[in-house]
Amino acid sequence: MSALNATLNPSAWHAYGVTLNSRLLLGTAGYPSPQALHEAIVASGTEVVTVGLRRVHAGEGGGDNGHIAAIRSALREQGARLLPNTAGCRTAREAVELSHMARELYGTAWIKLEVVGDEQTLQPDPWELVLAAEELVREGFQVFPYCTDDLVTCQRLLDVGCEVLMPWGAPIGSGQGLINPWALRTLRERLPHVPLIVDAGIGAPAHAVQAMELGYDAVLLNSAVSQARDPVRMAAAFGRAVQAGRLGFEAGVMAPQAMAVATTPVSGRPFLL
């Protein structure tokens, strides 16, 4: 890679001591076919793929086995890591038990911790989430907690040993984008050295760009790709959007102005080309 090309790529980032170059994490649910899932993972350029353990067990002996095979195949092709998640859990105890099953099944200490507290919004339960995170960290897990954008909850998760946080942009699967940019910006400013991943609610590549321009380290999404008319092309679009947004942040986005500011000098003597 030339020196110029190197400067035109976003910098690497780190999660639990692992260096990652892609800043897009991709979910694996709801794809129209195993082939579309495999091709979308490859097209996205992701290095981290998440899968729900409940879904894996539900697929045993059923039609979902093809998707699991596609995930494994794409992971080998990409050299990507698997991030099991505890989607569907409602209590800390459920999440802890499922995490142990995931570690035994996949041989990884990484776990995306989800503990839902509200059935309509699927909003994380902050109390159960912190309880589960504390126990999992104590038992050697490297926890990626899915949380809201509440600063105090995020601080509590850091206090119990989480090194990465995954605040939502909007409710899961809603496609609304970043509904509270102020809260997300506050998290970034108050937790400058913590890896932050916007997880949930992203519906369009523009939303991913916005998250990256706020200085977030990565985004995790699923429905925006799996429910697209062409999941493979949408995965590629998100891969490029994340790169563009991060490059913009690293280059320094200009500050907005309240009034027009002339970009062409109007003083001095004119000259002809």
Side-chain angles (χ1 to χ4, degrees):
M1 181 184 296
S2 70
L4 176 59
N5 286 337
T7 66
L8 298 181
N9 286 314
S11 62
W13 64 292
H14 308 276
Y16 288 104
V18 175
T19 299
L20 298 166
N21 292 296
S22 172
R23 293 174 179 269
L24 175 62
L25 290 71
L26 197 62
T28 55
Y31 283 81
S33 69
Q35 183 66 23
L37 171 57
H38 177 278
E39 292 179 5
I41 292 173
V42 174
S44 73
T46 184
E47 293 176 318
V48 179
V49 175
T50 184
V51 64
L53 193 62
R54 287 183 183 272
R55 176 169 161 256
V56 171
H57 287 308
E60 290 179 351
D64 206 35
N65 279 341
H67 286 77
I68 303 305
I71 293 169
R72 294 184 183 278
S73 174
L75 289 175
R76 288 193 297 269
E77 186 170 335
Q78 290 285 94
R81 300 177 65 94
L82 191 66
L83 176 62
N85 68 59
T86 63
C89 291
R90 299 298 188 269
T91 67
R93 177 50 46 200
E94 274 188 290
V96 169
E97 291 176 355
L98 199 61
S99 297
H100 280 280
M101 293 173 63
R103 184 162 64 179
E104 183 175 346
L105 181 62
Y106 295 117
T108 178
W110 278 22
I111 192 75
K112 179 190 172 187
L113 179 61
E114 299 184 36
V115 186
V116 170
D118 181 76
E119 295 301 322
Q120 183 173 350
T121 64
L122 300 180
Q123 180 173 329
D125 182 323
W127 290 274
E128 293 292 305
L129 185 67
V130 172
L131 284 173
E134 184 174 20
E135 183 170 347
L136 289 172
V137 169
R138 188 166 58 244
E139 294 175 358
F141 285 87
Q142 296 172 324
V143 181
F144 293 67
Y146 166 58
C147 54
T148 64
D149 51 22
D150 177 69
L151 175 61
V152 175
T153 299
C154 289
Q155 289 173 326
R156 295 292 177 268
L157 289 165
L158 295 174
D159 289 343
V160 300
C162 296
E163 297 181 16
V164 176
L165 298 174
M166 305 181 75
W168 70 354
I172 292 174
S174 68
Q176 296 181 59
L178 310 187
I179 59 176
N180 193 346
W182 176 87
L184 292 173
R185 186 178 296 109
T186 299
L187 283 180
R188 181 71 286 173
E189 291 173 352
R190 293 292 303 277
L191 307 172
H193 304 299
V194 177
L196 297 178
I197 304 167
V198 171
D199 178 16
I202 288 179
H207 301 155
V209 172
Q210 184 183 12
M212 302 309 293
E213 287 180 347
L214 287 175
Y216 275 68
D217 296 278
V219 299
L220 190 155
L221 53 93
N222 181 74
S223 299
V225 171
S226 67
Q227 303 304 308
R229 185 170 60 252
D230 186 335
V232 178
R233 289 172 66 86
M234 187 60 78
F238 270 106
R240 289 162 174 75
V242 168
Q243 286 186 320
R246 181 65 191 186
L247 278 174
F249 172 75
E250 292 180 359
V253 179
M254 68 172 287
Q257 305 294 324
M259 300 181 67
V261 178
T263 57
T264 303
V266 293
S267 60
R269 298 179 61 182
F271 63 92
L272 299 177
L273 293 178

